[in-house]
Amino acid sequence: MTLMRYLPLALALAIAPATAFATQETGGTGLAVTAGYGAIDGGASPISQVAIDVPTPASHLESDNDDNVWAASLSFFFNDHWAIDAWIAQGAQHSTEIDVEAGNDVPVAHFTTAPLAFTAQYHFAPLGRFKPFIGAGWHWTRVNDLGTNAAVTEIAGVDLRSDNGMTAVAGFDVAISEGWFARGEARWMDWSTEATVDGAQAASTNMDTTYYGVSLGYRF
């Protein structure tokens, strides 16, 4: 795990003391929008599940499925507690290469995953400046921008399938001033992708994506 994966959560905790003299955000019905930044852990790598020959006994496949992305959300509040939320994130980069111990690494493939999620959320009564919330719903994750190394013949004609599944979110809002708030959140998305080579199934991989991020929001 890299330090960048925990940076958004650390920033969220750092925001709280700075809001000690903030006023409480307005409740009731209305819209809320957020824009922020976070870290996505993309789970397993479908490319690494394909049988690929490596050049030496000491070589092995190595995947990087973590990335930092921008994200935004739009929520409609029915009352002080219940809301419907739409959330979208920038495409996260994934890559797989052959780690050659005594030479240069060999790129195998790269692609992006871009999630879009809809959740029903319950926002608890404020705890001072903090207002925690939880939610669950559905997401769709698009697999895009797939590129492969033609020299690795085992993945010639490879394709990856987009998918959908259940999602859950937990987080908290911190009041800053009238209407403005900071948010820290964690999201989990359950989905899988199928790798096909020339139309034939080569591997099915459970991705289980997680996201940790912070954002700045305004509630109208």
Side-chain angles (χ1 to χ4, degrees):
M1 297 184 182
T2 65
L3 178 61
M4 290 303 294
R5 289 183 58 189
Y6 296 99
L7 179 59
L9 182 58
L11 289 174
L13 295 176
I15 287 171
T19 62
F21 302 102
T23 60
Q24 190 66 35
E25 66 176 281
T26 303
T29 61
L31 292 174
V33 294
T34 69
Y37 192 69
I40 279 188
D41 181 348
S45 170
I47 300 298
S48 65
Q49 308 301 313
V50 179
I52 297 173
D53 291 334
V54 294
T56 68
S59 304
H60 62 276
L61 288 179
E62 189 172 74
S63 296
D64 182 2
N65 299 307
D66 299 340
D67 197 14
N68 298 304
V69 297
W70 295 100
S73 73
L74 174 66
S75 303
F76 175 75
F77 281 82
F78 297 96
N79 52 42
D80 284 345
H81 299 292
W82 289 100
I84 296 294
D85 175 79
W87 175 86
I88 190 170
Q90 173 190 16
Q93 297 285 337
H94 303 252
S95 63
T96 299
E97 59 187 19
I98 301 173
D99 184 2
V100 181
E101 297 292 337
N104 295 326
D105 293 345
V106 179
V108 174
H110 60 83
F111 61 95
T112 63
T113 57
L116 169 65
F118 298 92
T119 56
Q121 297 180 352
Y122 183 80
H123 292 247
F124 296 90
L127 303 172
R129 302 299 177 186
F130 290 84
K131 192 172 186 180
F133 67 91
I134 56 174
W138 170 90
H139 81 95
W140 179 68
T141 296
R142 180 186 180 190
V143 179
N144 201 15
D145 300 327
L146 175 63
T148 61
N149 184 352
V152 182
T153 57
E154 292 88 350
I155 59 169
V158 72
D159 193 20
L160 297 175
R161 179 174 59 91
S162 303
D163 195 26
N164 65 89
M166 298 296 294
T167 183
V169 59
F172 59 87
D173 295 338
V174 184
I176 298 176
S177 63
E178 186 67 27
W180 292 96
F181 62 93
R183 172 171 292 179
E185 63 183 332
R187 292 178 179 266
W188 169 79
M189 289 157 277
D190 177 38
W191 67 290
S192 61
T193 185
E194 182 179 288
T196 59
V197 178
D198 294 329
Q201 180 175 336
S204 181
T205 307
N206 189 353
M207 300 297 285
D208 275 349
T209 301
T210 55
Y211 168 85
Y212 305 91
V214 294
S215 56
L216 180 65
Y218 185 82
R219 184 165 173 177
F220 297 90

